[in-house]
Amino acid sequence: MEPQNGTIKKAICLFLAVKDEKMELLAASFSLSRGSLLLSPAEEMSMIGSSEAFQPVSLKQEGDDQPSETDKLSMEDGDLGKDPVPSQISRQPSVTESTFYPNPYHRPYISRKYFVTRPGAIETAMEDLKCHVTKTSGETIQGFWLLTEIDHWNNEKERILLVTDKTLLICKYDFIMLSCVQLQHIPLSAVYRVCLGKFAFPRMSLDKRQGEGLRIYWGSPEQQSLLSRWNPWSTEVPYATFTEHPMKYTSEKFLETCKLSGFVSKLVPAIQNAHKNSTGSGRGKGLMVLTEPILIETYTGLMSFIGNRNKLGYSLARGSIGF
């Protein structure tokens, strides 16, 4: 029994020795793997940077070898020690152009609301009136103008004016239907006074207008009846007042057609010639051209305030509410 016991003891000792060696090897391998996993951030970044899997990507296109503006600046900054001359960035000249004619602040869609600015509208009106003058009187037309008439109640009305050898024609033209609605004939020999000046109103007037105008007299205002003076639709007023049309600055064509000074330069000589050639008894055969304020006697002005703010005297596109 004793020899057997000794053999068992030797086997147990050998097993324990082998077990201790295996444990030491496992501990060593575990410490090694743990040390490889616990890296500092700097070491990890260095490993990532040295990896061949991550390569910087260039955003330049093929054939684009020109240095960028930032590259130029960096190169110039690097050469500051060599060249003391300050660097300059070259700028391309501006390709925009400023147009000051006819009106830099004009919005085209606003002018399109006026039917007179539609293509062919004013030309059709002029042709219609030419045919009328040719058929009725045969007089020579000296010019056409598009102006705004201001009646004795301060209401604005769109009008076409014609000056012939003997007559001043004031036409109310419908630019929507392209037809003449009303035509007033005024003999030039009957005109005795033309006034140019700024508009003036009574002190207590609520609806005043700015600007200048022209007033043509062919009768005495003192002889005007009280009924016609207080009737806003009266046609017996012995004078007519005009100012420039709001579409004057939309184009070169309307700049000439709506110019008040151009109308006066043709009207005054035509009146003087008509007075010379007149055979009837007139007002001393003379024309007075005065520069004085043009008085418009309106006090409350509620009717003109509503009408002028909404442009009711013009052929205007008014959306879905009709004309």
Side-chain angles (χ1 to χ4, degrees):
M1 294 296 293
E2 291 181 359
Q4 291 180 355
N5 291 337
T7 303
I8 292 172
K9 288 181 180 179
K10 289 180 180 180
I12 292 173
C13 291
L14 181 61
F15 175 75
L16 292 175
V18 172
K19 183 178 180 181
D20 292 339
E21 290 180 0
K22 289 183 178 181
M23 292 297 292
E24 289 178 359
L25 291 173
L26 290 173
S29 63
F30 177 76
S31 62
L32 180 61
S33 62
R34 187 172 179 272
S36 62
L37 292 175
L38 297 178
L39 297 176
S40 64
E43 291 174 345
E44 291 180 356
M45 293 300 293
S46 64
M47 291 180 65
I48 293 173
S50 62
S51 176
E52 295 181 356
F54 297 90
Q55 296 295 335
V57 179
S58 177
L59 298 179
K60 291 184 179 181
Q61 298 180 356
E62 295 182 0
D64 187 9
D65 296 333
Q66 297 295 331
S68 63
E69 206 169 289
T70 55
D71 296 337
K72 290 181 180 179
L73 289 177
S74 61
M75 292 169 61
E76 290 177 359
D77 291 339
D79 296 338
L80 286 177
K82 299 178 181 179
D83 190 4
V85 180
S87 60
Q88 296 181 356
I89 301 176
S90 61
R91 298 182 181 272
Q92 294 182 353
S94 176
V95 296
T96 59
E97 296 181 359
S98 300
T99 304
F100 294 98
Y101 181 85
N103 190 347
Y105 305 104
H106 175 67
R107 292 173 289 181
Y109 69 90
I110 293 181
S111 65
R112 296 192 193 109
K113 294 172 63 177
Y114 290 80
F115 279 88
V116 68
T117 62
R118 302 292 175 91
I122 188 67
E123 289 80 6
T124 302
M126 292 179 179
E127 191 64 30
D128 291 345
L129 294 174
K130 280 182 181 179
C131 294
H132 173 77
V133 172
T134 302
K135 291 179 181 179
T136 56
S137 63
E139 298 177 6
T140 303
I141 299 175
Q142 300 187 14
F144 292 86
W145 290 270
L146 177 67
L147 299 176
T148 296
E149 182 181 4
I150 303 172
D151 66 8
H152 58 297
W153 275 54
N154 197 28
N155 295 306
E156 296 181 358
K157 300 176 181 179
E158 192 174 44
R159 296 290 183 265
I160 296 179
L161 279 75
L162 285 78
V163 176
T164 67
D165 297 335
K166 300 179 180 179
T167 311
L168 170 65
L169 288 87
I170 303 174
C171 175
K172 177 183 178 181
Y173 196 87
D174 185 358
F175 288 99
I176 302 173
M177 300 302 296
L178 297 177
S179 61
C180 180
V181 179
Q182 181 182 1
L183 190 61
Q184 185 178 5
H185 295 74
I186 301 170
L188 294 179
S189 58
V191 178
Y192 69 96
R193 186 167 63 171
V194 174
C195 294
L196 298 166
K198 295 183 178 180
F199 295 110
F201 291 83
R203 192 176 213 183
M204 301 301 293
S205 179
L206 301 178
D207 184 27
K208 299 180 181 180
R209 73 168 56 246
Q210 304 296 325
E212 300 179 349
L214 163 73
R215 178 167 288 177
I216 304 169
Y217 293 90
W218 58 87
S220 176
E222 289 78 13
Q223 297 178 358
Q224 184 181 1
S225 65
L226 184 64
L227 180 61
S228 65
R229 182 174 298 179
W230 289 99
N231 180 10
W233 299 281
S234 175
T235 57
E236 299 178 358
V237 180
Y239 58 85
T241 307
F242 300 98
T243 189
E244 292 179 339
H245 196 278
M247 292 294 101
K248 175 183 177 182
Y249 294 102
T250 56
S251 65
E252 293 186 33
K253 176 180 66 176
F254 284 100
L255 183 65
E256 295 298 326
T257 307
C258 303
K259 187 180 292 185
L260 191 65
S261 60
F263 172 66
V264 175
S265 65
K266 290 288 186 179
L267 177 66
V268 172
I271 295 174
Q272 293 173 345
N273 291 332
H275 278 250
K276 292 178 181 179
N277 299 328
S278 178
T279 57
S281 59
R283 301 175 180 271
K285 300 292 183 180
L287 171 68
M288 293 185 296
V289 180
L290 306 175
T291 302
E292 62 182 13
I294 299 175
L295 178 63
I296 301 178
E297 294 185 276
T298 57
Y299 294 92
T300 57
L302 180 61
M303 180 178 177
S304 62
F305 178 83
I306 297 174
N308 295 340
R309 296 305 182 278
N310 294 279
K311 304 295 182 183
L312 298 182
Y314 299 87
S315 296
L316 196 69
R318 307 184 189 277
S320 59
I321 63 173
F323 302 100

